[in-house]
Amino acid sequence: MGYRWEITRAAVRQGVVGIVRTTDAASAVIAARAVLDAGLKSVEVPLTNAGALVAIEELSAAYPDATIGAGTVLDESSATAAIRAGAQFLVSPSLHTEVLRTAHRYGVAALPGTGSVTEIVRAMEEGADAVKVFPASALGPQWIKDVRAALPQAPLVPTGGIAPEDVPRWLDAGAVACGIGSALTRGSAEDIQARVAALVREN
C-alpha cells in the first residue's frame, strides 16, 4: 500500500473502476478475477455483499499489484473492517465524514458519493481523494462537463448506469474515471474477460 495520492492515481489510472456486485464471497472472487486477469487493475467490492470482506482479503492477497477497494461504505465500523480486510480505497453512495476520517486515519483513499455541486464542494472540503457522482445516469456527461467548467479541480468518478461503450464520452466530459458494475461484470468469466479486454484496449 502506498500513499493516498498514489492509491487514488492507481485506482483511476485506466479510466474505469470495475464494481463487482454479487451476493457472496465466492461469486465476487470469480468475477473480480475475470476482471483483473483481463487487464483492469482497479476493482471495488460493495459491502452489500455479505461476503465482501472475505473477497477483499482474498483478492488483495492474490493480486498485490491491483488496487482493491470496498464500496457502499456507510459508517466508521464498516470502513475499519474493510481496511483491515485489505481495502485500499473506500467508496460510498453518499457523503459520510466519519468514513473519510477513518480512511485517512489509516492512509487509504476515500471516494464519497455526491449528486449536486454543493455536495461535491463539501466532499472536497472534507478531504475527499476523488468524488463519486451518483447516480450518473440521472445526470449525464454534459452535467459533468458543466460542473468541471466551474470546478476544474474536482476529480469526478461518475457511477451508476454507465455502459462500457459510453466510457469515452464521460472521460471526454472531464471525468477522471467511471465506475461500472453489472454492465461490465455480468455473464460468465469468459464474457467478463472479453468485455474488459475490449474496454482496456480502448482506454
Side-chain angles (χ1 to χ4, degrees):
M1 183 182 295
Y3 295 110
R4 274 170 34 212
W5 66 267
E6 294 175 309
I7 294 169
T8 306
R9 184 172 65 177
V12 304
R13 181 176 62 84
Q14 292 174 288
V16 175
V17 178
I19 303 169
V20 179
R21 193 175 295 281
T22 66
T23 57
D24 55 61
S27 59
V29 169
I30 291 170
R33 281 183 174 274
V35 169
L36 294 164
D37 290 343
L40 185 59
K41 299 304 180 185
S42 180
V43 168
E44 168 196 334
V45 182
L47 297 187
T48 48
N49 182 336
L53 297 179
V54 174
I56 290 169
E57 186 171 7
E58 183 173 337
L59 293 166
S60 297
Y63 295 88
D65 295 329
T67 309
I68 310 299
T72 321
V73 183
L74 302 178
D75 52 48
E76 182 176 357
S77 60
S78 297
T80 302
I83 293 166
R84 287 176 176 167
Q88 294 177 276
F89 64 95
L90 307 180
V91 184
S92 304
S94 47
L95 177 57
H96 302 278
T97 55
E98 66 269 28
V99 173
L100 275 160
R101 291 169 184 163
T102 303
H104 294 170
R105 183 181 304 129
Y106 294 103
V108 308
L111 288 73
T114 63
S116 70
V117 175
T118 299
E119 290 178 344
I120 290 171
V121 172
R122 185 181 168 214
M124 292 193 299
E125 289 174 344
E126 294 288 348
D129 298 286
V131 181
K132 175 179 176 177
V133 175
F134 179 81
S137 59
L139 300 169
Q142 185 61 47
W143 190 86
I144 295 292
K145 186 174 182 179
D146 292 343
V147 170
R148 288 271 298 157
L151 299 172
Q153 74 275 25
L156 305 180
V157 183
T159 304
I162 297 177
E165 60 269 21
D166 293 332
V167 168
R169 291 175 54 227
W170 290 91
L171 298 182
D172 288 345
V176 296
C178 295
I180 307 182
S182 59
L184 187 67
T185 59
R186 67 179 184 274
S188 67
E190 291 76 15
D191 293 336
I192 295 170
Q193 288 184 329
R195 203 175 293 121
V196 172
L199 183 62
V200 170
R201 283 198 300 270
E202 291 174 4
N203 295 285

